[in-house]
PDB file of all heavy atoms in Angstrom:
ATOM      1  N   LEU A 289      69.995 198.688 -45.253  1.00 98.00           N
ATOM      2  CA  LEU A 289      68.831 199.256 -44.575  1.00 98.00           C
ATOM      3  C   LEU A 289      68.987 199.222 -43.055  1.00 98.00           C
ATOM      4  O   LEU A 289      68.036 199.521 -42.334  1.00 98.00           O
ATOM      5  CB  LEU A 289      67.567 198.486 -44.972  1.00 98.00           C
ATOM      6  CG  LEU A 289      67.246 198.444 -46.463  1.00 98.00           C
ATOM      7  CD1 LEU A 289      65.997 197.609 -46.703  1.00 98.00           C
ATOM      8  CD2 LEU A 289      67.070 199.844 -47.032  1.00 98.00           C
ATOM      9  N   ASN A 290      70.175 198.860 -42.585  1.00 98.00           N
ATOM     10  CA  ASN A 290      70.463 198.760 -41.157  1.00 98.00           C
ATOM     11  C   ASN A 290      69.506 197.794 -40.461  1.00 98.00           C
ATOM     12  O   ASN A 290      69.038 198.051 -39.342  1.00 98.00           O
ATOM     13  CB  ASN A 290      70.425 200.137 -40.481  1.00 98.00           C
ATOM     14  CG  ASN A 290      71.119 200.141 -39.133  1.00 98.00           C
ATOM     15  OD1 ASN A 290      71.991 199.323 -38.872  1.00 98.00           O
ATOM     16  ND2 ASN A 290      70.708 201.053 -38.261  1.00 98.00           N
ATOM     17  N   VAL A 291      69.218 196.687 -41.103  1.00 98.00           N
ATOM     18  CA  VAL A 291      68.361 195.653 -40.527  1.00 98.00           C
ATOM     19  C   VAL A 291      69.239 194.683 -39.738  1.00 98.00           C
ATOM     20  O   VAL A 291      70.245 194.174 -40.253  1.00 98.00           O
ATOM     21  CB  VAL A 291      67.585 194.904 -41.635  1.00 98.00           C
ATOM     22  CG1 VAL A 291      66.891 193.663 -41.088  1.00 98.00           C
ATOM     23  CG2 VAL A 291      66.574 195.844 -42.285  1.00 98.00           C
ATOM     24  N   MET A 292      68.872 194.435 -38.497  1.00 98.00           N
ATOM     25  CA  MET A 292      69.601 193.481 -37.668  1.00 98.00           C
ATOM     26  C   MET A 292      69.366 192.064 -38.181  1.00 98.00           C
ATOM     27  O   MET A 292      68.257 191.724 -38.607  1.00 98.00           O
ATOM     28  CB  MET A 292      69.108 193.557 -36.218  1.00 98.00           C
ATOM     29  CG  MET A 292      69.340 194.891 -35.550  1.00 98.00           C
ATOM     30  SD  MET A 292      68.389 195.032 -33.981  1.00 98.00           S
ATOM     31  CE  MET A 292      69.167 193.739 -33.015  1.00 98.00           C
ATOM     32  N   LYS A 293      70.400 191.239 -38.141  1.00 98.00           N
ATOM     33  CA  LYS A 293      70.197 189.833 -38.476  1.00 98.00           C
ATOM     34  C   LYS A 293      69.280 189.203 -37.441  1.00 98.00           C
ATOM     35  O   LYS A 293      69.301 189.571 -36.257  1.00 98.00           O
ATOM     36  CB  LYS A 293      71.536 189.088 -38.507  1.00 98.00           C
ATOM     37  CG  LYS A 293      72.343 189.336 -39.767  1.00 98.00           C
ATOM     38  CD  LYS A 293      73.541 188.387 -39.844  1.00 98.00           C
ATOM     39  CE  LYS A 293      74.275 188.544 -41.166  1.00 98.00           C
ATOM     40  NZ  LYS A 293      75.415 187.594 -41.271  1.00 98.00           N
ATOM     41  N   ALA A 294      68.462 188.256 -37.896  1.00 98.00           N
ATOM     42  CA  ALA A 294      67.627 187.515 -36.955  1.00 98.00           C
ATOM     43  C   ALA A 294      68.513 186.705 -36.014  1.00 98.00           C
ATOM     44  O   ALA A 294      69.668 186.390 -36.333  1.00 98.00           O
ATOM     45  CB  ALA A 294      66.684 186.591 -37.713  1.00 98.00           C
ATOM     46  N   ASP A 295      67.966 186.363 -34.860  1.00 98.00           N
ATOM     47  CA  ASP A 295      68.691 185.466 -33.972  1.00 98.00           C
ATOM     48  C   ASP A 295      68.868 184.100 -34.624  1.00 98.00           C
ATOM     49  O   ASP A 295      69.884 183.427 -34.434  1.00 98.00           O
ATOM     50  CB  ASP A 295      67.932 185.315 -32.648  1.00 98.00           C
ATOM     51  CG  ASP A 295      67.842 186.626 -31.894  1.00 98.00           C
ATOM     52  OD1 ASP A 295      68.897 187.179 -31.544  1.00 98.00           O
ATOM     53  OD2 ASP A 295      66.722 187.116 -31.689  1.00 98.00           O
ATOM     54  N   ILE A 296      67.873 183.705 -35.416  1.00 98.00           N
ATOM     55  CA  ILE A 296      67.930 182.439 -36.143  1.00 98.00           C
ATOM     56  C   ILE A 296      67.351 182.678 -37.532  1.00 98.00           C
ATOM     57  O   ILE A 296      66.268 183.246 -37.679  1.00 98.00           O
ATOM     58  CB  ILE A 296      67.117 181.333 -35.429  1.00 98.00           C
ATOM     59  CG1 ILE A 296      67.576 181.195 -33.972  1.00 98.00           C
ATOM     60  CG2 ILE A 296      67.245 180.002 -36.155  1.00 98.00           C
ATOM     61  CD1 ILE A 296      66.595 180.457 -33.093  1.00 98.00           C
ATOM     62  N   HIS A 297      68.090 182.244 -38.546  1.00 98.00           N
ATOM     63  CA  HIS A 297      67.627 182.304 -39.943  1.00 98.00           C
ATOM     64  C   HIS A 297      67.519 180.859 -40.468  1.00 98.00           C
ATOM     65  O   HIS A 297      68.389 180.391 -41.206  1.00 98.00           O
ATOM     66  CB  HIS A 297      68.610 183.090 -40.813  1.00 98.00           C
ATOM     67  CG  HIS A 297      68.432 184.566 -40.788  1.00 98.00           C
ATOM     68  ND1 HIS A 297      67.335 185.198 -41.339  1.00 98.00           N
ATOM     69  CD2 HIS A 297      69.209 185.561 -40.277  1.00 98.00           C
ATOM     70  CE1 HIS A 297      67.447 186.508 -41.184  1.00 98.00           C
ATOM     71  NE2 HIS A 297      68.579 186.751 -40.534  1.00 98.00           N
ATOM     72  N   PRO A 298      66.480 180.128 -40.107  1.00 98.00           N
ATOM     73  CA  PRO A 298      66.393 178.729 -40.553  1.00 98.00           C
ATOM     74  C   PRO A 298      66.123 178.614 -42.051  1.00 98.00           C
ATOM     75  O   PRO A 298      65.411 179.438 -42.632  1.00 98.00           O
ATOM     76  CB  PRO A 298      65.216 178.179 -39.739  1.00 98.00           C
ATOM     77  CG  PRO A 298      64.379 179.375 -39.442  1.00 98.00           C
ATOM     78  CD  PRO A 298      65.323 180.524 -39.282  1.00 98.00           C
ATOM     79  N   GLN A 299      66.704 177.595 -42.656  1.00 98.00           N
ATOM     80  CA  GLN A 299      66.478 177.288 -44.065  1.00 98.00           C
ATOM     81  C   GLN A 299      65.735 175.962 -44.179  1.00 98.00           C
ATOM     82  O   GLN A 299      66.016 175.005 -43.460  1.00 98.00           O
ATOM     83  CB  GLN A 299      67.814 177.205 -44.814  1.00 98.00           C
ATOM     84  CG  GLN A 299      68.551 178.526 -44.857  1.00 98.00           C
ATOM     85  CD  GLN A 299      69.928 178.414 -45.496  1.00 98.00           C
ATOM     86  OE1 GLN A 299      70.895 178.982 -45.008  1.00 98.00           O
ATOM     87  NE2 GLN A 299      70.022 177.692 -46.605  1.00 98.00           N
ATOM     88  N   VAL A 300      64.807 175.915 -45.107  1.00 97.00           N
ATOM     89  CA  VAL A 300      63.944 174.740 -45.255  1.00 97.00           C
ATOM     90  C   VAL A 300      64.762 173.477 -45.484  1.00 97.00           C
ATOM     91  O   VAL A 300      64.508 172.436 -44.867  1.00 97.00           O
ATOM     92  CB  VAL A 300      62.952 174.952 -46.418  1.00 97.00           C
ATOM     93  CG1 VAL A 300      62.143 173.688 -46.676  1.00 97.00           C
ATOM     94  CG2 VAL A 300      62.025 176.117 -46.107  1.00 97.00           C
ATOM     95  N   THR A 301      65.764 173.553 -46.343  1.00 97.00           N
ATOM     96  CA  THR A 301      66.504 172.343 -46.717  1.00 97.00           C
ATOM     97  C   THR A 301      67.289 171.746 -45.552  1.00 97.00           C
ATOM     98  O   THR A 301      67.723 170.597 -45.634  1.00 97.00           O
ATOM     99  CB  THR A 301      67.471 172.629 -47.884  1.00 97.00           C
ATOM    100  OG1 THR A 301      68.362 173.693 -47.504  1.00 97.00           O
ATOM    101  CG2 THR A 301      66.703 173.032 -49.136  1.00 97.00           C
ATOM    102  N   ARG A 302      67.461 172.512 -44.478  1.00 97.00           N
ATOM    103  CA  ARG A 302      68.182 172.020 -43.309  1.00 97.00           C
ATOM    104  C   ARG A 302      67.234 171.485 -42.227  1.00 97.00           C
ATOM    105  O   ARG A 302      67.677 171.169 -41.120  1.00 97.00           O
ATOM    106  CB  ARG A 302      69.069 173.134 -42.744  1.00 97.00           C
ATOM    107  CG  ARG A 302      70.118 173.595 -43.761  1.00 97.00           C
ATOM    108  CD  ARG A 302      70.966 174.726 -43.236  1.00 97.00           C
ATOM    109  NE  ARG A 302      71.887 175.206 -44.268  1.00 97.00           N
ATOM    110  CZ  ARG A 302      72.759 176.212 -44.108  1.00 97.00           C
ATOM    111  NH1 ARG A 302      72.824 176.820 -42.940  1.00 97.00           N
ATOM    112  NH2 ARG A 302      73.550 176.589 -45.096  1.00 97.00           N
ATOM    113  N   HIS A 303      65.940 171.408 -42.575  1.00 98.00           N
ATOM    114  CA  HIS A 303      64.952 170.976 -41.594  1.00 98.00           C
ATOM    115  C   HIS A 303      64.032 169.886 -42.138  1.00 98.00           C
ATOM    116  O   HIS A 303      62.903 169.727 -41.672  1.00 98.00           O
ATOM    117  CB  HIS A 303      64.116 172.182 -41.138  1.00 98.00           C
ATOM    118  CG  HIS A 303      64.902 173.163 -40.327  1.00 98.00           C
ATOM    119  ND1 HIS A 303      65.752 174.065 -40.902  1.00 98.00           N
ATOM    120  CD2 HIS A 303      64.987 173.355 -38.977  1.00 98.00           C
ATOM    121  CE1 HIS A 303      66.324 174.794 -39.950  1.00 98.00           C
ATOM    122  NE2 HIS A 303      65.884 174.384 -38.774  1.00 98.00           N
ATOM    123  N   MET A 304      64.523 169.099 -43.093  1.00 98.00           N
ATOM    124  CA  MET A 304      63.674 168.079 -43.694  1.00 98.00           C
ATOM    125  C   MET A 304      63.216 167.011 -42.695  1.00 98.00           C
ATOM    126  O   MET A 304      62.037 166.646 -42.687  1.00 98.00           O
ATOM    127  CB  MET A 304      64.380 167.437 -44.894  1.00 98.00           C
ATOM    128  CG  MET A 304      64.472 168.353 -46.098  1.00 98.00           C
ATOM    129  SD  MET A 304      62.841 168.893 -46.675  1.00 98.00           S
ATOM    130  CE  MET A 304      63.338 170.057 -47.956  1.00 98.00           C
ATOM    131  N   PRO A 305      64.093 166.484 -41.827  1.00 98.00           N
ATOM    132  CA  PRO A 305      63.606 165.494 -40.853  1.00 98.00           C
ATOM    133  C   PRO A 305      62.506 166.052 -39.952  1.00 98.00           C
ATOM    134  O   PRO A 305      61.549 165.342 -39.620  1.00 98.00           O
ATOM    135  CB  PRO A 305      64.857 165.118 -40.058  1.00 98.00           C
ATOM    136  CG  PRO A 305      65.993 165.428 -40.980  1.00 98.00           C
ATOM    137  CD  PRO A 305      65.564 166.639 -41.744  1.00 98.00           C
ATOM    138  N   ASP A 306      62.649 167.325 -39.553  1.00 98.00           N
ATOM    139  CA  ASP A 306      61.621 167.956 -38.724  1.00 98.00           C
ATOM    140  C   ASP A 306      60.296 168.049 -39.475  1.00 98.00           C
ATOM    141  O   ASP A 306      59.223 167.793 -38.911  1.00 98.00           O
ATOM    142  CB  ASP A 306      62.060 169.370 -38.312  1.00 98.00           C
ATOM    143  CG  ASP A 306      63.357 169.382 -37.534  1.00 98.00           C
ATOM    144  OD1 ASP A 306      63.498 168.570 -36.607  1.00 98.00           O
ATOM    145  OD2 ASP A 306      64.232 170.206 -37.856  1.00 98.00           O
ATOM    146  N   ILE A 307      60.367 168.428 -40.750  1.00 98.00           N
ATOM    147  CA  ILE A 307      59.151 168.577 -41.562  1.00 98.00           C
ATOM    148  C   ILE A 307      58.482 167.227 -41.760  1.00 98.00           C
ATOM    149  O   ILE A 307      57.255 167.090 -41.598  1.00 98.00           O
ATOM    150  CB  ILE A 307      59.496 169.249 -42.915  1.00 98.00           C
ATOM    151  CG1 ILE A 307      59.907 170.706 -42.678  1.00 98.00           C
ATOM    152  CG2 ILE A 307      58.308 169.171 -43.878  1.00 98.00           C
ATOM    153  CD1 ILE A 307      60.513 171.391 -43.888  1.00 98.00           C
ATOM    154  N   VAL A 308      59.261 166.215 -42.097  1.00 98.00           N
ATOM    155  CA  VAL A 308      58.702 164.876 -42.307  1.00 98.00           C
ATOM    156  C   VAL A 308      58.008 164.381 -41.037  1.00 98.00           C
ATOM    157  O   VAL A 308      56.911 163.797 -41.088  1.00 98.00           O
ATOM    158  CB  VAL A 308      59.811 163.888 -42.748  1.00 98.00           C
ATOM    159  CG1 VAL A 308      59.316 162.443 -42.681  1.00 98.00           C
ATOM    160  CG2 VAL A 308      60.286 164.230 -44.162  1.00 98.00           C
ATOM    161  N   LYS A 309      58.624 164.637 -39.899  1.00 98.00           N
ATOM    162  CA  LYS A 309      58.054 164.188 -38.628  1.00 98.00           C
ATOM    163  C   LYS A 309      56.688 164.829 -38.375  1.00 98.00           C
ATOM    164  O   LYS A 309      55.736 164.151 -37.939  1.00 98.00           O
ATOM    165  CB  LYS A 309      59.022 164.540 -37.492  1.00 98.00           C
ATOM    166  CG  LYS A 309      58.578 164.060 -36.119  1.00 98.00           C
ATOM    167  CD  LYS A 309      59.629 164.415 -35.067  1.00 98.00           C
ATOM    168  CE  LYS A 309      59.181 163.987 -33.678  1.00 98.00           C
ATOM    169  NZ  LYS A 309      60.210 164.332 -32.650  1.00 98.00           N
TER     170      LYS A 309
END
Side-chain angles (χ1 to χ4, degrees):
L289 302 178
N290 198 25
V291 169
M292 297 167 64
K293 282 190 175 182
D295 296 299
I296 306 163
H297 276 291
Q299 295 175 223
V300 174
T301 57
R302 299 178 184 179
H303 291 79
M304 288 301 175
D306 301 313
I307 292 169
V308 168
K309 183 178 178 180

